[in-house]
Amino acid sequence: LMRLGECFPQTMIVMLLYLSTYMGVVVAQTIALTVALGGNITEEKIQSELVTVTVILLITMLVKFLVISPLNIGTTWWLIHSSRGEKNNVGYIFICFKNIKIYIKSILLRAVISLTKLVLSAPLMICIYLGGVLRNTAFEDIDNSATYIILGVCSTLILLFMLAFYVWITLGFELCNPLFSLNPDKKISEIISSSITAVKNNRVRLVKLLLSFSGWAVSLIFVVPLFFVIPYFAMSYAVMLNDILTREIYLTGGTLGRNYVSYYNTLR
C-alpha cells in the first residue's frame, strides 16, 4: 500500500495496458474463429471445420505468444523496479520490444516455462479425462452407477490433490520474470534454476499472499473495485517477489545473481 500510494496512477495504467493488450488479442482470436465458422460456433460446426479452426487457433496463439510474452516480462520489469522505490515511465513495459536480443530471449524464456508447465499438467489432464469417462459411464450404466459415482468422487479428490501439487511445484517459476528483468544476460537455464532455488523456502509465503486476496477477488463482481484491486495485487506480489529475491541473494552470498542491476538502463 505504501508503494502503491506513491505511484498508483502509473500502476493502474501499466496493468490496464497489459490487460487490454491481452484481451485485445483474445478478442481478435474470437473474431477470427467466428468469421471462419460463419457465426455458427457449435460443436458440430467446429468438428466439420476442424482443420480451419486448428490453423486459426495455432496462428492466433503464436501471435498472442509473440506479443504477450515480452509484454508480460516488461510489466514485471516495471513492477519490480517500482517496488524497489525507482520511478520509471509506464512505457518501459514495452522495453523488451526495443532490443531484438532481449525480445527473442524473453519469448524463449516464456516458451520453456510454458512447455514445462504443460508437461507437468499431464497428470491433471488424465484425471480430468478419467473423471469425464466415469461420469458418462455412470449415466449409461444405471445398474452400477453408484460404483462409478464413488469412483468419480475419488477421482475428483485425487484431481484436487494433484491440482494443489501442480500449483505448489509451478510456483518455482514465479521468480523467472524478475530475474530476467534484473539480469537478462543470464542463461535461461540459470534463470529457471535460480528461480526454483529462491522460491524453494518461500512457497508458503506466496500461497498465503495469494489466499489473502481471496476476499478482494469476490469484490470484483462489482467491477469498480477492479481498478484498485488489480494494481494493489500486482504491486503486493512484486514487493513479495523482490523481498524473496533480496533475501535469497543475501542468504546465498549473492549466488543467485552477481549482477543484480538492470541491464535495461543501457536501453534508455
Side-chain angles (χ1 to χ4, degrees), residues 130-266:
L130 291 176
V133 171
L134 289 171
R135 182 190 61 199
N136 294 333
T137 306
F139 284 116
E140 294 173 359
D141 191 355
I142 303 299
D143 295 334
N144 298 309
S145 60
T147 302
Y148 290 114
I149 289 174
I150 294 173
L151 289 173
V153 171
C154 293
S155 176
T156 301
L157 292 175
I158 293 173
L159 174 63
L160 292 175
F161 171 78
M162 294 185 70
L163 178 61
F165 183 71
Y166 173 79
V167 172
W168 186 261
I169 293 297
T170 54
L171 279 174
F173 298 108
E174 290 303 294
L175 284 176
C176 288
N177 278 10
L179 281 167
F180 181 84
S181 300
L182 294 166
N183 190 357
D185 285 330
K186 293 188 71 170
K187 295 180 180 179
I188 290 177
S189 58
E190 292 177 350
I191 291 173
I192 294 176
S193 176
S194 296
S195 177
I196 293 173
T197 301
V199 175
K200 185 176 181 180
N201 299 319
N202 294 279
R203 284 188 172 89
V204 174
R205 294 181 65 200
L206 287 172
V207 171
K208 284 182 178 179
L209 178 63
L210 292 172
L211 292 177
S212 71
F213 274 87
S214 56
W216 286 104
V218 174
S219 71
L220 296 182
I221 61 175
F222 299 105
V223 181
V224 175
L226 179 146
F227 295 97
F228 170 75
V229 176
I230 290 181
Y232 182 27
F233 172 75
M235 185 59 72
S236 299
Y237 205 66
V239 169
M240 172 71 80
L241 294 181
N242 183 62
D243 181 67
I244 292 173
L245 269 176
T246 304
R247 287 172 180 269
E248 293 301 323
I249 289 173
Y250 172 74
L251 291 174
T252 57
T255 56
L256 291 184
R258 296 184 182 276
N259 300 319
Y260 196 66
V261 294
S262 175
Y263 171 84
Y264 292 111
N265 285 333
T266 62

Side-chain angles (χ1 to χ4, degrees), residues 16-232:
L16 286 176
L17 282 172
Y18 174 74
L19 292 175
S20 60
T21 302
Y22 183 87
M23 292 305 300
V25 175
V26 172
V27 170
Q29 182 182 59
T30 304
I31 293 174
L33 282 173
T34 303
V35 172
L37 297 174
N40 184 23
I41 305 179
T42 61
E43 186 176 349
E44 293 77 11
K45 183 66 174 178
I46 291 175
Q47 290 178 351
S48 64
E49 300 288 345
L50 188 58
V51 175
T52 302
V53 171
T54 302
V55 171
I56 291 175
L57 286 176
L58 288 175
I59 293 174
T60 53
M61 285 175 63
L62 178 62
V63 172
K64 182 165 65 175
F65 201 79
L66 295 176
V67 173
I68 299 302
S69 293
L71 188 61
N72 181 283
I73 290 178
T75 302
T76 301
W77 184 94
W78 190 91
L79 288 168
I80 285 293
H81 283 274
S82 292
S83 73
R84 291 156 60 88
E86 301 176 18
K87 295 185 182 297
N88 297 292
N89 190 295
V90 296
Y92 280 124
I93 68 172
F94 301 106
I95 203 163
C96 288
F97 296 95
K98 296 182 179 180
N99 184 292
I100 187 64
K101 179 182 176 182
I102 300 301
Y103 174 74
I104 293 174
K105 196 171 182 179
S106 67
I107 292 174
L108 290 175
L109 174 64
R110 295 310 307 175
V112 171
I113 294 172
S114 298
L115 287 173
T116 304
K117 287 183 176 181
L118 183 62
V119 172
L120 292 173
S121 69
L124 278 176
M125 298 300 103
I126 293 173
C127 278
I128 293 172
Y129 173 75
L130 291 176
V133 171
L134 289 171
R135 182 190 61 199
N136 294 333
T137 306
F139 284 116
E140 294 173 359
D141 191 355
I142 303 299
D143 295 334
N144 298 309
S145 60
T147 302
Y148 290 114
I149 289 174
I150 294 173
L151 289 173
V153 171
C154 293
S155 176
T156 301
L157 292 175
I158 293 173
L159 174 63
L160 292 175
F161 171 78
M162 294 185 70
L163 178 61
F165 183 71
Y166 173 79
V167 172
W168 186 261
I169 293 297
T170 54
L171 279 174
F173 298 108
E174 290 303 294
L175 284 176
C176 288
N177 278 10
L179 281 167
F180 181 84
S181 300
L182 294 166
N183 190 357
D185 285 330
K186 293 188 71 170
K187 295 180 180 179
I188 290 177
S189 58
E190 292 177 350
I191 291 173
I192 294 176
S193 176
S194 296
S195 177
I196 293 173
T197 301
V199 175
K200 185 176 181 180
N201 299 319
N202 294 279
R203 284 188 172 89
V204 174
R205 294 181 65 200
L206 287 172
V207 171
K208 284 182 178 179
L209 178 63
L210 292 172
L211 292 177
S212 71
F213 274 87
S214 56
W216 286 104
V218 174
S219 71
L220 296 182
I221 61 175
F222 299 105
V223 181
V224 175
L226 179 146
F227 295 97
F228 170 75
V229 176
I230 290 181
Y232 182 27

